[in-house]
């Protein structure tokens, strides 16, 4: 998995990391606390989420 800091993070220590290189899943985790777990969603769900928060 290739994790990257989300381009939507503002740099205020409220960052998430995203791994979207799998064909059937997008994974999201807290940058500061990797042990807190991973949220996994489908690529269409992730796209819908990004579209909703980017408005």
């Amino acid at each position: 998995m290739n994790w990257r800091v989300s381009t939507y993070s503002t740099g205020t220590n409220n960052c998430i990391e995203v791994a979207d290189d799998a064909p059937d899943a997008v994974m999201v985790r807290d940058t500061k606390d990797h042990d807190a777990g991973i949220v996994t969603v489908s690529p269409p769900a992730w796209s819908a989420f990004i579209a909703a928060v980017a408005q």
Side-chain angles (χ1 to χ4, degrees), residues 41-53:
V41 298
S42 69
W46 182 249
S47 294
F49 171 75
I50 294 300
V53 298

Side-chain angles (χ1 to χ4, degrees), residues 5-6 9-17 29-33:
V5 174
S6 171
S9 293
T10 62
T12 58
N13 288 332
N14 294 323
C15 298
I16 60 167
E17 294 177 334
R29 68 182 180 187
D30 185 329
T31 299
K32 298 180 304 287
D33 188 3

